[in-house]
Amino acid sequence: MSTTLFLIQLLNGVQLGLLLFLISAGLTLVFGVMGFINLAHGVQYMIGAYLLVAFYSVTGHFMAAMLLAMLAALVIGLLLEVFIFRHLYDRDHLDQVLVTFGIIIFLNQLVKVIWGATPLTLDPPEFLSGSFQLVEGLMYPTYRVAIIVAGLAVALLLWLLVTRTKLGMLVRAGSTNAEMVSALGVNIHRLFMVVFGFGAMLAGFAGALAAPIFSAEPGMGDDLLIVAFVVIIIGGIGSIRGAFIAAILVGLVDTLGRSMVTDILKLFMDASAANQIGPALASMAIYVLMAAVLFFKPTGLFPARASR
Amino acid sequence: MRGANLAALVIFALLAATPWLAEFWGGSYLISLVMKAMILGIAALSLDLLIGHAGMVSFGHAAFVGIGAYTTGIMITEGAPDLSAILPVTIAIATAFALVTGAISLRTSGVYFIMITLAFGQMVFFTMSSLSDYGGDDGLTLWERADAFGTGLFDSDTGLFYTILATLIVVTLLLRRIVGSRFGRVLRAAKQNPTRVESMGYSVFAYRLTAYVIAGIIAALAGVLFANQSEFISPATAAWQRSGDLIIMVVLGGMGLRHGALFGALAIVLLEEGLSTLTHDWRLIFGPMLVLMVLYTKGGIAGLLEPRRDT
């Protein structure tokens, strides 16, 4: 494989990693702070994509549509929290799984009813279309560069928010020991609501960013949700830093695995066998990574709590 | 007689009468639908041994169903279609897989256990997708069913139906014995407080691993039945969505409650079928039903029938 192709795959990996981070950040906080397993987080990603398409067709302005989509994703997240999820925080994890599964089924179908089953495509805005010359002879789509920049910016913002503000301090304290934070007189319900809404907004933002590349379709969040869970488990539940490192790691392993495993296998086995095993091995790579991490560190790389 | 047992008896009687009822309404479609529901019931019952009694939430249980289905499919294709060969091979593979992945998975607990079992399930799924000699991603149609020890029992739908029903009853009784035994009590004690059970001299690890192997073998047997019933094997059998479905069945039915997993499996299969005849967008009804069920009941369907816990 040529260096150029390798660099492009590397960038694709980072870009997938950053999208995964945007989804995982909310998931790991909701899980870490409230001990709540939110399977519907993937649906919030899908909703983000659809909202962008919908608002774009109304306003005709990409950035305005993006802002509106994020706001609407925030509102939807808050509504779900107030009406359903807050009644489940002290219930069994598996009850939470069942409820959020029911919400997935409902919203996936609702999206189908409203927008139809066919994927909706959307072009990136004028100023982000075309390609970008990174180094001599390496063209890369501008929109994908924009995703990387936006992802890094949000990651930085989130890091500042979590490490430098009072709210961030409460969130960190909450993911270490929520009961103790509540005992110290903090309004834990409001904290939960803020964290949940923020997480939903980030997932919606990720979906909106992804819409011009992957198109919006029903169920688009389901497989990504599982990968996001892989990310937060590798990173350690409740840890933003862990989620960031694990997201980039998973993005790179998945992308590079798909483009390289078959070629590597061909070095020491015949081509037809490599073509048969390669794709399966590449799809498996992130799960092998997770199993290996858990084998050596049974609570992930950067666990927020010493023990759960 | 208590509610759940009575309900189970009625259900078993209805199941036994299904081939006869089908002559008046539903025909062969009803028979194959009920067969599918019973097979899922067997798999869900085995998963409940892990979730309800041992506190081990496996998110990779469909992998065992897939292992059973693929062993059956491959052996039929390769000219060894008799159950006298298929069953020992299936049990051996399922045991080996459960021992290895269980031993590794049990290093973790809680949510991490859920995810590591998912990882092994996905590895099985992608391995099956790579078997291009046996259909790869698309799956493989089986041209004949397995030979039931030379009797030809599986040649008719009725024969297969009663074999599945008999398996379901045997598995129900067997699991009930296991759960009521000293082994089952140690499992439940370890679910509540592993440290204390450990300090009493029991190896929690050994008990949990044994439970994992038992559940794996039963799920693999469900897979053998599934391959025969659908006459088709595909990686989708082992997909994470199927593992999720099994968890949903166990939780909806009532974790660790008598017959809960069976109620859950039948309820979900029949609800999906019933609602989809009402409207094309049946999921708009089914989703909120799940939400309301959890918000307003505790202990699932079996919990409704028997308000007090019987563990």
Side-chain angles (χ1 to χ4, degrees):
Chain A
M1 187 193 308
S2 68
T3 323
T4 324
L5 194 59
F6 178 75
L7 274 176
I8 288 181
Q9 294 299 344
L10 205 63
L11 283 173
N12 282 342
V14 171
Q15 176 230 307
L16 175 64
L18 286 166
L19 277 183
L20 279 175
F21 171 68
L22 291 177
I23 303 170
S24 314
L27 196 63
T28 202
L29 282 182
V30 167
F31 203 157
V33 178
M34 308 163 207
F36 183 73
I37 301 190
N38 182 16
L39 293 188
H41 203 70
V43 178
Q44 277 150 352
Y45 166 83
M46 172 187 74
I47 287 177
Y50 273 100
L51 286 173
L52 177 73
V53 175
F55 284 123
Y56 184 73
S57 67
V58 174
T59 61
H61 191 284
F62 189 86
M63 296 313 270
M66 182 69 92
L67 263 179
L68 286 171
M70 282 175 74
L71 266 179
L74 176 70
V75 171
I76 293 173
L78 290 177
L79 286 177
L80 282 175
E81 204 274 345
V82 170
F83 285 107
I84 300 176
F85 295 155
R86 79 167 35 167
H87 307 290
L88 292 164
Y89 290 149
D90 53 354
R91 293 287 285 272
D92 192 279
H93 276 331
L94 287 168
D95 283 346
Q96 300 165 354
V97 166
L98 198 56
V99 165
T100 48
F101 181 75
I103 292 172
I104 294 180
I105 293 178
F106 177 74
L107 288 178
N108 273 343
Q109 190 68 31
L110 189 68
V111 158
K112 243 183 241 178
V113 171
I114 298 177
W115 284 287
T118 39
L120 300 181
T121 52
L122 177 73
D123 291 327
E126 194 68 30
F127 69 100
L128 290 176
S129 57
S131 286
F132 190 84
Q133 183 158 358
L134 285 177
V135 287
E136 188 60 36
L138 173 56
M139 300 296 281
Y140 197 68
T142 314
Y143 188 73
R144 285 176 181 261
V145 178
I147 289 188
I148 293 179
V149 173
L152 285 175
V154 171
L156 183 70
L157 208 70
L158 205 58
W159 179 75
L160 285 174
L161 199 67
V162 169
T163 57
R164 295 282 185 273
T165 65
K166 182 154 183 256
L167 180 70
M169 189 184 73
L170 290 177
V171 168
R172 275 181 295 140
S175 65
T176 314
N177 192 336
E179 291 87 3
M180 190 57 80
V181 175
S182 171
L184 290 172
V186 174
N187 183 347
I188 198 85
H189 294 293
R190 212 183 53 199
L191 181 68
F192 282 2
M193 215 174 118
V194 170
V195 169
F196 197 95
F198 199 68
M201 189 176 74
L202 282 182
F205 179 54
L209 277 181
I213 305 182
F214 300 133
S215 76
E217 55 184 312
M220 67 188 276
D222 296 359
D223 280 319
L224 215 59
L225 170 82
I226 290 296
V227 184
F229 266 109
V230 169
V231 166
I232 73 169
I233 292 293
I234 291 178
I237 291 165
S239 164
I240 289 278
R241 179 176 57 144
F244 183 76
I245 293 169
I248 302 290
L249 200 62
V250 166
L252 286 175
V253 165
D254 194 54
T255 312
L256 294 180
R258 280 174 208 281
S259 63
M260 287 166 62
V261 166
T262 308
D263 290 335
I264 292 172
L265 284 179
K266 277 179 186 162
L267 294 178
F268 47 90
M269 60 172 64
D270 67 286
S272 70
N275 281 335
Q276 187 178 340
I277 302 171
L281 218 54
S283 316
M284 231 184 266
I286 59 170
Y287 299 101
V288 175
L289 176 71
M290 174 169 74
V293 167
L294 287 182
F295 184 79
F296 293 107
K297 302 205 68 167
T299 50
L301 295 176
F302 303 97
R305 295 180 190 206
S307 62
R308 287 181 73 86
Chain B
M1 186 179 284
R2 295 187 312 176
N5 276 336
L6 188 65
L9 261 184
V10 173
I11 286 174
F12 282 127
L14 275 175
L15 288 176
T18 302
W20 176 74
L21 290 173
E23 291 188 17
F24 304 99
W25 182 80
S28 63
Y29 179 75
L30 178 70
I31 294 185
S32 76
L33 180 74
V34 174
M35 281 201 277
K36 218 172 283 171
M38 288 194 294
I39 292 169
L40 285 171
I42 295 171
L45 279 168
S46 71
L47 182 61
D48 188 46
L49 175 67
L50 299 182
I51 295 183
H53 296 279
M56 300 153 65
V57 182
S58 168
F59 196 1
H61 209 56
F64 289 100
V65 182
I67 286 174
Y70 265 75
T71 309
T72 309
I74 290 173
M75 288 184 73
I76 290 175
T77 314
E78 296 298 332
D82 200 276
L83 282 186
S84 61
I86 291 174
L87 289 180
V89 174
T90 302
I91 292 174
I93 295 176
T95 306
F97 182 75
L99 280 174
V100 173
T101 63
I104 297 173
S105 303
L106 282 169
R107 287 176 58 88
T108 65
S109 61
V111 180
Y112 296 96
F113 182 84
I114 301 182
M115 295 307 289
I116 199 165
T117 47
L118 165 77
F120 288 121
Q122 290 293 83
M123 290 178 205
V124 169
F125 172 79
F126 289 118
T127 305
M128 287 169 178
S129 320
S130 75
L131 297 174
S132 53
D133 289 348
Y134 303 104
D137 280 329
D138 302 327
L140 177 70
T141 303
L142 307 178
W143 299 109
E144 53 173 349
R145 286 179 177 166
D147 219 340
F149 304 102
T151 58
L153 186 65
F154 288 2
D155 293 345
S156 73
D157 268 359
T158 319
L160 185 61
F161 183 94
Y162 283 110
T163 309
I164 294 173
L165 178 61
T167 312
L168 176 65
I169 292 173
V170 169
V171 165
T172 303
L173 295 176
L174 178 75
L175 283 173
R176 197 154 159 182
R177 282 299 289 271
I178 291 176
V179 163
S181 69
R182 207 179 63 111
F183 174 80
R185 287 204 297 277
V186 174
L187 278 183
R188 277 197 300 283
K191 180 187 175 190
Q192 287 181 2
N193 192 335
T195 319
R196 188 175 285 181
V197 172
E198 193 82 45
S199 70
M200 286 167 74
Y202 295 102
S203 165
V204 171
F205 174 82
Y207 275 83
R208 286 184 173 161
L209 188 58
T210 309
Y212 195 71
V213 172
I214 294 172
I217 291 174
I218 295 176
L221 294 179
V224 173
L225 295 172
F226 183 72
N228 280 297
Q229 187 270 323
S230 58
E231 297 173 57
F232 177 69
I233 56 172
S234 94
T237 318
W240 67 263
Q241 287 92 338
R242 297 292 85 73
S243 295
D245 288 346
L246 288 176
I247 296 181
I248 301 296
M249 288 170 186
V250 169
V251 180
L252 183 74
M255 282 178 277
L257 297 182
R258 196 163 282 179
H259 308 303
L262 176 63
F263 296 152
L266 294 177
I268 286 194
V269 172
L270 298 180
L271 259 182
E272 283 187 3
E273 200 56 37
L275 289 177
S276 64
T277 57
L278 283 182
T279 160
H280 176 66
D281 298 314
W282 58 274
R283 290 186 182 84
L284 291 182
I285 308 171
F286 185 60
M289 272 178 75
L290 286 182
V291 176
L292 294 175
M293 182 83 193
V294 177
L295 284 180
Y296 294 104
T297 69
K298 274 191 178 151
I301 298 172
L304 285 178
L305 293 168
E306 261 174 65
R308 278 178 303 142
R309 287 190 73 89
D310 70 338
T311 45

